[in-house]
Amino acid sequence: MSFGGFFDNGSGGVIPYNSMPTGDISQPRLVSPPLTKSMFSSPGLSLALTNMEGNGEVIRIGENFEQNLGGIRAREDEYESRSGSDNVDGGSGDDQDTDKPPRKKRYHRHTPQQIQELESLFKEVPHPDEKQRNELSKRLNLESRQVKFWFQNRRTQMKTQLERHENSILRQENDKLRAENMSIRDAMRTPICNNCGGPAMLGEISLEEQQLRVENVRLQDELNRVCTLAGKFLGRPVSSLATSISSHMPNSGLELAVGCNGLTGLSTVTTSLPLGNDYGGVSSPLSAVMPPTRSASTVERSLERSMFLELALAAMDELVKMAQTDEPLWIPSLVGGRETSKLNLDEYRRLCPPCIGMKPIGFVTEATRETGTVIINGLALVEILMDANRWAEMFPCMIARTSTAEVISGGVGGTKNGALQLMHGELQVLSPLVPIREVNFLRFCKQHAEGVWAVVDVSVDMNRDTSNPQTFVSSRRLPSGCVVQDMPNGYSKVTWVEHAEYDESTVHRLYRPLISTGMGFGAQRWVATLQRQCQCLAILMATVPNDTNNVITTGGRRSMLKLAQRMTDNFCAGVCASTVHSWNKLCAGNVEEDVRVMTRKSVDDPGEPPGVVLSAATSVWLPVSPQKLFDFLRDERLRSEWDILSNGGPMQEMAHIAKGQDHGNCVSLLRASAMKTSQSSMLILQETCIDASGSLVVYAPVDIPAMQVVMGGGDSAYVALLPSGFAIVPDGQSLSSGSNGSPDSNNSNSSSSNNGSNNSSRRAGGSLLTVAFQILVNNLPNAKLTVESVDTVNNLISCTVQKIKSALHCET
DNA sequence: GGACTAATCCCTA
DNA sequence: TAGGGATTAGTCC
């Protein structure tokens, strides 16, 4: 019988086969796959040899052993010649020995082409079935078995890489704990009296000291635990200051089974190790990475995670290269009078090996980089980025929806360093003409140095949401994200790289120049929004209330801003049909082209009036600058020129909360001066914001009594409102020199549209204006939508656009 | 000598 | 019986 790597010597003892007394048996493995029982016909020495099929049959080897070896070698050569690898070495020094038959070296390597093919299949399918393996083996002229081995080895290799990574993290944590432990021991050796500052007397154990002792025991346990785990990954014991492992261990739900090697099969030792996150408040950063048990599914998960980790590391590498390398990777160019850089694709391909496969056919590349100083420190920014909710709050107009699908690693030592998570996101440009970009991506955070952090995103094309197999992927994010470097003044320098590939045909021609210059989804927009939002946070954190009339309390300010935030979020969700609300698109014949009308039921939401809500949105081109358009729309005195709610007169600002240094960033409360008695209980809540990437004017009628509650610091969640408003962006024409999308060549079927794209007088510096209304058309949620309601909202939208055009003297 | 790689052996689900 | 873990051996740096 035989055990792994050992032979039974026939007398009950077990010896390694490379010390067998038969001399030549210690030669390179001669037990090749084609070895068969028929080779050994003579009786004699009993030797355990296992053929490839693993039958473990005992074969008798006779005196003509050498002769048989020749046969084996001949077979082996035959086997090698079938491997399809032509790069087999000619032979070793032994081949010159005339006493022995010429022998090729067993070793060879697959050709680079073969490896490339194998790698590419591995990326798609790390675990191919027999059919796939056979197919590949035929194609590559390899034995099916070789393909199988290759995949097996590659999986093992991935696992080893993962373990190595886990190991390094563990080691870091170990070092930290050890230092902590030492300092505590030190503190205990020379106790100091807290009252007098002198040395504490023996026998006097202060409360603090008792706590230190308890803490010390806990740390020692933790250290032991980490040492044991590190030992497992290192394959050798890691020394620790204490020796006992399990005596202090509390019970934990997670156990790690550790197989003992050596005489495999003779014994298996299972050691229970606590890995719980709840252990004494100290979490293991790897508890989420390591498979608790070794079942098939956990191994699959482990493999998937290791692939994610490999992808994340490659993406991080690429992000850092993209952020730190200038020419020739990024070529400086002047766009719209503003300095920017353009990605040199040849250099990019040379510098960055593809990490998520080839660009899908028909997709175009969008790559942008932007650097800016932001009033936030790197650590805080990283915390925000790694929290889906806070991330969405930071970029409310850009992120329609996001969630964390899985936290693969939570980070090391209580920080986000090493944190890796799988996320889902819906990115938006505020226009019905630009579809939402839905992406599943990995987000990986790494601290590169003291005060230097990087967060990278990269698409993973796996679709975990099997409930919706129809999901059409129209874009994917290549390694994108930011490198943040703390500056001494509390600011940080943020370098943002946004790299995506998308199906341009899904974007309306009017918006293609904007999108292709990166002003839609690109780095400029992320950085501009980040700067504006951080400035807003800094201002709001200032203690002095900054509303001009001083009529609002601090609590009221907070409530009003929260209400405004909800209003703006709902506005964005209505424009882009994000899945936050389940909108039904209307395709009625009387809906004007380029106006998207959607409807939904509002029930059980105290923040909205109950009933049927109709949303209508359209985007038009206007030959005026974005700034001029924004200033016009936010000016309460000019409101009567387009807003029916103003009752033909100017509006008056009753309250103003600044959200930024730019006066355009604020939340205000407006009242129509020409107010009729019937509407006397209504005010307008308005939020406006502007940055380098665009601007927004969002408003909603609100009840005076409800607003009084809010301004007094009451809960704003019960204020029912439906937002309307405008989103303004530059038309992109002045930004893109060689854009392939021209608004002039708009869809042929929209010649009668009101989007102004057929305006022959267009000039550089125009704007794209999105107008959107949400209106309650029936206060019964189950009521049917009438044609009249759709007509009303259609008229409202086209009238408003016409009025704006007239007021700005830009009618066709 | 260590890392990498192709292959082998044995065990287990 | 397929696949995984442990191991070996050839090669490269």
Side-chain angles (χ1 to χ4, degrees):
Chain A
M1 62 180 288
S2 73
F3 298 112
F6 293 82
F7 289 121
D8 189 334
N9 63 5
S11 57
V14 177
I15 53 171
Y17 58 57
N18 58 6
S19 60
M20 291 282 287
T22 42
D24 212 20
I25 195 71
S26 63
Q27 294 248 341
R29 292 282 178 91
L30 299 174
V31 192
S32 289
L35 187 69
T36 60
K37 199 174 179 176
S38 62
M39 291 175 185
F40 309 98
S41 49
S42 309
L45 176 67
S46 175
L47 188 64
L49 290 171
T50 307
N51 66 12
M52 197 51 206
E53 284 68 44
N55 293 338
E57 289 166 289
V58 176
I59 300 160
R60 309 283 292 182
I61 300 178
E63 299 82 11
N64 53 347
F65 181 66
E66 276 301 317
Q67 194 184 326
N68 279 321
L69 274 183
I72 296 165
R73 285 166 182 152
R75 297 284 187 116
E76 188 179 0
D77 289 352
E78 182 190 334
Y79 168 66
E80 282 194 354
S81 71
R82 277 187 285 118
S83 75
S85 303
D86 299 330
N87 54 341
V88 179
D89 285 355
S92 69
D94 292 352
D95 296 347
Q96 309 310 319
D97 189 347
T98 46
D99 292 335
K100 292 180 180 177
R103 174 164 72 91
K104 277 185 185 175
K105 280 183 187 170
R106 189 177 60 123
Y107 185 79
H108 76 278
R109 288 192 181 211
H110 299 330
T111 65
Q113 277 146 322
Q114 286 170 329
I115 290 170
Q116 197 181 353
E117 293 259 353
L118 288 160
E119 283 283 0
S120 62
L121 181 65
F122 184 78
K123 271 190 185 142
E124 305 284 328
V125 193
H127 221 138
D129 56 27
E130 200 171 355
K131 200 180 147 203
Q132 287 169 306
R133 287 203 308 264
N134 284 336
E135 206 172 286
L136 195 64
S137 76
K138 267 185 211 144
R139 195 141 53 88
L140 300 179
N141 198 21
L142 286 171
E143 291 246 337
S144 172
R145 213 175 9 211
Q146 287 177 293
V147 174
K148 189 175 87 176
F149 292 150
W150 190 89
F151 273 90
Q152 171 64 47
N153 286 322
R154 188 73 179 83
R155 287 191 293 264
T156 310
Q157 188 196 39
M158 291 284 282
K159 231 180 114 237
T160 314
Q161 282 170 353
L162 173 74
E163 286 181 351
R164 216 171 286 160
H165 175 77
E166 288 172 345
N167 212 359
S168 76
I169 292 176
L170 270 176
R171 226 180 296 198
Q172 278 178 30
E173 204 190 6
N174 195 3
D175 291 344
K176 230 180 101 185
L177 282 167
R178 200 189 294 259
E180 208 175 331
N181 198 332
M182 288 299 282
S183 65
I184 289 171
R185 277 166 174 264
D186 215 37
M188 285 181 72
R189 258 199 298 273
T190 51
I192 293 168
C193 174
N194 280 329
N195 294 325
C196 64
M201 298 300 290
L202 202 66
E204 287 177 12
I205 299 178
S206 66
L207 186 65
E208 283 79 6
E209 199 170 331
Q210 278 181 26
Q211 283 173 347
L212 271 177
R213 287 188 179 190
V214 171
E215 176 76 353
N216 196 23
V217 169
R218 187 187 65 72
L219 283 169
Q220 276 190 17
D221 285 343
E222 184 69 10
L223 180 65
N224 287 328
R225 187 173 70 76
V226 171
C227 285
T228 314
L229 283 172
K232 178 195 168 255
F233 286 105
L234 284 170
R236 59 178 165 77
V238 174
S239 67
S240 76
L241 295 168
T243 49
S244 70
I245 291 175
S246 57
S247 58
H248 305 295
M249 294 281 187
N251 286 333
S252 170
L254 288 174
E255 290 192 340
L256 182 71
V258 182
C260 182
N261 300 321
L263 297 180
T264 315
L266 292 176
S267 69
T268 299
V269 177
T270 301
T271 313
S272 294
L273 298 170
L275 275 174
N277 275 336
D278 53 349
Y279 174 45
V282 177
S283 64
S284 159
L286 288 170
S287 54
V289 182
M290 287 191 293
T293 53
R294 294 196 179 278
S295 69
S297 64
T298 50
V299 170
E300 283 288 316
R301 303 264 301 148
S302 164
L303 184 65
E304 184 187 80
R305 284 173 165 191
S306 65
M307 289 185 75
F308 282 165
L309 185 71
E310 191 169 285
L311 177 59
L313 289 170
M316 180 59 79
D317 199 39
E318 182 171 326
L319 173 73
V320 172
K321 270 185 211 162
M322 296 274 275
Q324 293 180 346
T325 314
D326 295 320
E327 286 182 81
L329 183 63
W330 293 95
I331 303 163
S333 62
L334 209 61
V335 169
R338 167 170 192 284
E339 264 189 53
T340 179
S341 17
K342 197 170 184 271
L343 183 67
N344 176 350
L345 283 174
D346 289 336
E347 183 63 15
Y348 169 72
R349 278 189 279 268
R350 197 185 67 78
L351 211 61
C352 308
C355 66
I356 58 169
M358 300 297 284
K359 180 165 78 176
I361 296 163
F363 276 36
V364 294
T365 299
E366 171 197 314
T368 49
R369 187 174 71 166
E370 180 76 0
T371 300
T373 51
V374 185
I375 181 166
I376 192 169
N377 69 60
L379 196 65
L381 179 56
V382 158
E383 291 283 344
I384 290 171
L385 294 175
M386 297 309 289
D387 179 328
N389 291 332
R390 295 178 68 197
W391 180 50
E393 275 175 28
M394 183 59 92
F395 302 94
C397 305
M398 302 181 69
I399 301 165
R401 191 176 211 183
T402 182
S403 58
T404 303
E406 186 182 350
V407 175
I408 296 163
S409 170
V412 186
T415 73
K416 294 291 173 194
N417 184 22
L420 174 64
Q421 55 199 40
L422 188 62
M423 297 178 77
H424 171 81
E426 294 174 20
L427 306 178
Q428 64 191 6
V429 162
L430 293 175
S431 167
L433 307 184
V434 184
I436 276 180
R437 282 189 185 174
E438 205 172 337
V439 276
N440 289 310
F441 60 96
L442 285 173
R443 175 162 289 181
F444 179 50
C445 175
K446 191 177 170 191
Q447 183 175 23
H448 288 270
E450 189 65 37
V452 183
W453 293 80
V455 176
V456 68
D457 294 349
V458 62
S459 273
V460 281
D461 45 12
M462 48 166 300
N463 187 3
R464 292 192 156 198
D465 183 13
T466 46
S467 62
N468 186 12
Q470 302 300 319
T471 309
F472 171 65
V473 179
S474 63
S475 71
R476 55 186 206 149
R477 289 178 87 197
L478 280 78
S480 302
C482 59
V483 176
V484 191
Q485 184 164 14
D486 281 339
M487 288 162 64
N489 55 359
Y491 282 70
S492 55
K493 182 186 166 197
V494 176
T495 303
W496 203 289
V497 173
E498 201 59 37
H499 193 183
E501 289 165 350
Y502 65 100
D503 182 359
E504 199 178 40
S505 67
T506 60
V507 179
H508 192 284
R509 286 179 182 278
L510 203 54
Y511 273 82
R512 286 185 194 173
L514 179 88
I515 304 296
S516 69
T517 52
M519 287 296 277
F521 293 101
Q524 293 96 326
R525 193 164 170 230
W526 288 101
V527 171
T529 307
L530 184 66
Q531 284 172 322
R532 173 167 55 77
Q533 289 285 98
C534 288
Q535 195 181 56
C536 170
L537 284 174
I539 285 177
L540 295 179
M541 278 196 285
T543 46
V544 183
N546 54 1
D547 59 307
T548 49
N549 302 330
N550 271 336
V551 294
I552 317 173
T553 62
T554 309
R557 230 159 50 105
R558 201 180 300 127
S559 289
M560 208 165 135
L561 288 169
K562 201 175 163 193
L563 182 61
Q565 188 185 1
R566 171 156 66 84
M567 173 179 76
T568 303
D569 287 350
N570 280 354
F571 171 77
C572 298
V575 172
C576 292
S578 79
T579 54
V580 177
H581 295 306
S582 46
W583 291 102
N584 297 311
K585 281 187 195 173
L586 287 188
C587 303
N590 57 342
V591 174
E592 276 209 42
E593 284 185 61
D594 297 323
V595 177
R596 181 166 67 194
V597 180
M598 302 181 299
T599 176
R600 66 181 165 88
K601 288 173 190 172
S602 164
V603 260
D604 296 332
D605 183 353
E608 276 186 349
V612 176
V613 177
L614 200 64
S615 164
T618 191
S619 294
V620 298
W621 177 81
L622 293 179
V624 289
S625 73
Q627 183 72 49
K628 189 179 172 190
L629 191 52
F630 175 68
D631 289 338
F632 168 72
L633 291 169
R634 76 186 177 93
D635 190 338
E636 68 275 3
R637 292 162 302 176
L638 303 176
R639 194 114 180 169
S640 60
E641 297 195 32
W642 58 267
D643 188 4
I644 54 164
L645 294 172
S646 70
N647 292 310
M651 281 196 176
Q652 190 189 347
E653 189 177 69
M654 295 175 64
H656 179 102
I657 302 173
K659 287 182 72 182
Q661 280 170 355
D662 190 308
H663 202 63
N665 287 311
C666 68
V667 170
S668 50
L669 204 55
L670 309 175
R671 182 177 62 187
S673 1
M675 196 181 276
K676 289 177 189 168
T677 334
S678 61
Q679 291 170 317
S680 59
S681 66
M682 195 194 70
L683 295 171
I684 302 284
L685 176 68
Q686 177 169 284
E687 174 162 31
T688 59
C689 50
I690 184 163
D691 58 45
S693 65
S695 56
L696 207 62
V697 176
V698 184
Y699 63 94
V702 284
D703 275 344
I704 288 181
M707 275 319 287
Q708 277 169 342
V709 173
V710 171
M711 287 164 80
D715 190 356
S716 67
Y718 297 97
V719 179
L721 53 75
L722 285 174
S724 297
F726 309 93
I728 304 159
V729 286
D731 63 7
Q733 281 298 289
S734 56
L735 305 172
S736 72
S737 42
S739 167
N740 48 359
S742 162
D744 284 340
S745 55
N746 198 6
N747 286 341
S748 57
N749 61 358
S750 62
S751 54
S752 63
S753 70
N754 63 357
N755 63 24
S757 56
N758 52 353
N759 188 334
S760 57
S761 66
R762 56 179 304 135
R763 56 183 166 76
S767 304
L768 294 170
L769 172 69
T770 295
V771 187
F773 291 102
Q774 286 186 40
I775 294 168
L776 188 75
V777 292
N778 198 311
N779 53 16
L780 297 171
N782 291 320
K784 286 214 167 179
L785 192 67
T786 62
V787 178
E788 289 75 23
S789 305
V790 178
D791 283 347
T792 307
V793 77
N794 243 336
N795 286 337
L796 177 63
I797 222 164
S798 46
C799 274
T800 308
V801 169
Q802 277 312 313
K803 282 180 177 176
I804 293 168
K805 281 183 176 175
S806 324
L808 295 170
H809 314 292
C810 49
E811 280 180 296
T812 51

